[in-house]
Amino acid sequence: MMSDTVRAARRMSFNADALTYQRGRPRYPDVVFELLAERCGLRPGARVLEIGAGTGLATEPLLAAGAHVVAVEPGENLAAILAAEHACDRLEILVSDFESADLPGGFDLAVAATALHWVDPATSTAKIAGLVRPGGWLAAWWNEFGDPKRPTLFRDRLDEVYHDLLPGGTGYRDSRSHILDTDRWRGQLTAGGYFGDVSVEIIEWNQILTAQSARDQWSTFPNIAELSPPDREEFLTRLGSLVDEFGGRVEDPCLTAVYTARRSALEHRQHKP
């Protein structure tokens, strides 16, 4: 678990180079939004709260489904791209961290796309519960880049770069992402009894990397951004060269873990700010 200080610093790191974040992060698989429609009531007219909207990777398909979206994003640069790309009469953007955001409540669905780990785990579930109507839903999902169950030579070679510049880490074949820690996330989603009926779906997919898209994507990872400028440039240069060695295009296995939970119908559990 991250300390509050690390969480606060890292969650704002993406705002420093919002354009690279927009270029580097891939779209979420369509099946995520199909699942939200089938299980969580995503439909035309649904009121959706989006926590940590970023540049709109999840906002766009939510709007395409006909939802009315209130998007909370603390980064001004990220929010500016979100507004420029997706402004419409069904999108309201609030530039604020979620913990202090003043929100109306009565949402049918709250979503956090690669964002729930950035909010305060001690208070966020209760606040979300106060904003989602009884019988509504909370959905949180993350992309994981690289799948240890589908190893590749590219990833093995990339581990050598990590070993040289970020020594002490676990090689990707032996790593286990927090997104697969189902006990952790079930516990957080059900804390306080506000949400139950938790379901977990793991979606396998592949992305195609070029040297430039790999550089853009890895530039957005906090552990790479925190390297000294010379080490960061060496990492990104070696990463791009590695993609070129594989012919300029690499198929990289990925995962998306989707957690959904239903709001309790017990009104007396409504959160009081």
Side-chain angles (χ1 to χ4, degrees), residues 142-214:
W142 294 263
N143 283 341
E144 176 68 10
F145 305 111
D147 180 0
K149 292 185 177 180
R150 293 180 289 159
T152 65
L153 183 56
F154 166 73
R155 282 282 172 174
D156 288 336
R157 292 281 305 281
L158 183 58
D159 265 359
E160 299 171 9
V161 185
Y162 272 96
H163 176 75
D164 290 345
L165 295 167
L166 290 94
T170 302
Y172 93 97
R173 284 178 182 256
D174 298 320
S175 66
R176 182 170 174 80
S177 170
H178 76 88
I179 75 171
L180 301 178
D181 188 348
T182 55
D183 288 343
R184 168 188 172 179
W185 291 112
R186 284 180 182 274
Q188 181 166 329
L189 294 178
T190 59
Y194 302 105
F195 292 93
D197 190 18
V198 178
S199 179
V200 184
E201 305 288 338
I202 307 297
I203 301 162
E204 295 183 354
W205 55 285
N206 297 322
Q207 65 170 335
I208 301 298
L209 295 170
T210 64
Q212 186 60 56
S213 68

Side-chain angles (χ1 to χ4, degrees), residues 20-111:
T20 298
Y21 188 90
Q22 182 188 31
R23 293 195 309 267
R25 292 297 179 109
R27 295 170 58 91
Y28 297 105
D30 291 342
V31 68
V32 172
F33 302 95
E34 294 168 5
L35 176 64
L36 296 185
E38 293 168 3
R39 179 172 169 82
C40 302
L42 178 62
R43 64 189 184 280
R47 296 189 65 237
V48 178
L49 167 64
E50 185 180 3
I51 300 165
T55 60
L57 289 171
T59 316
E60 182 178 16
L62 292 171
L63 292 171
H68 293 257
V69 179
V70 176
V72 182
E73 170 49 53
E76 292 184 359
N77 297 331
L78 294 166
I81 293 174
L82 176 65
E85 296 288 334
H86 305 296
C88 68
D89 59 4
R90 290 185 289 106
L91 175 62
E92 177 184 349
I93 300 171
L94 182 59
V95 182
S96 170
D97 60 85
F98 175 69
E99 290 85 348
S100 62
D102 185 12
L103 294 158
F107 290 98
D108 300 303
L109 169 64
V111 305

